Amino acid sequence: MEALMPDLDATLVTFLTGHAALIPLHRGRVGTKLAAGTDPALRITGLGGTQPMPWESQPEFQIESWGGDQGAASKLARTVEAAIHDLVGPVTGGHVRSVTVALSLMWSPDETTGRARYLSQVSLLAYPEGS
């Protein structure tokens, strides 16, 4: 049996939660579900991806940057897109070889509430431990 891929959903949430440049902007409000309230927050959604070889994974993620207004949402999204490249390197269960921002700063206010939101899409190239 080949080695298992790292849990990149959890890795991404942990990374974005603890990145020093992002903490003052989202104050820990990061997850796969949107935190209640109207304070700035990040929501991560796994979009699937490819696994061209048993030792290589190329998942994609949508990162929603929510803010109290368009300026706050924009600053959060721009900071995410700058910080995301720091994810390259060892992670729990493997390593991330590269990060690509496939969709940058798409303005997409929430249809229901009108709340400010920017969308980013990132692609990772990852390998399990020992590969």
Side-chain angles (χ1 to χ4, degrees):
M1 181 169 110
E2 296 291 329
L4 293 177
M5 288 294 162
D7 182 346
L8 295 170
D9 291 62
T11 295
L12 187 56
V13 169
T14 299
F15 171 80
L16 293 171
T17 300
H19 195 283
L22 293 167
I23 292 169
L25 301 177
H26 61 53
R27 296 185 304 280
R29 295 166 46 86
V30 179
T32 56
K33 295 183 179 176
L34 185 59
T38 58
D39 290 338
L42 294 174
R43 177 168 54 185
I44 289 79
T45 304
L47 301 175
T50 63
Q51 187 172 345
M53 299 291 181
W55 58 85
E56 181 178 274
S57 178
Q58 297 175 323
E60 297 194 15
F61 295 91
Q62 177 173 286
I63 302 172
E64 298 175 39
S65 298
W66 294 78
D69 59 30
Q70 187 172 1
S74 173
K75 184 173 183 179
L76 182 55
R78 289 180 289 119
T79 306
V80 165
E81 290 183 13
I84 196 71
H85 298 282
D86 292 342
L87 182 57
V88 172
V91 298
T92 301
H95 61 276
V96 173
R97 170 97 26 104
S98 67
V99 175
T100 302
V101 178
L103 175 68
S104 177
L105 301 175
M106 181 178 165
W107 172 240
S108 181
D110 183 60
E111 299 85 13
T112 304
T113 64
R115 221 175 127 199
R117 172 181 66 180
Y118 278 89
L119 305 179
S120 302
Q121 185 174 327
V122 300
S123 300
L124 308 178
L125 178 60
Y127 297 90
E129 285 181 345
S131 61

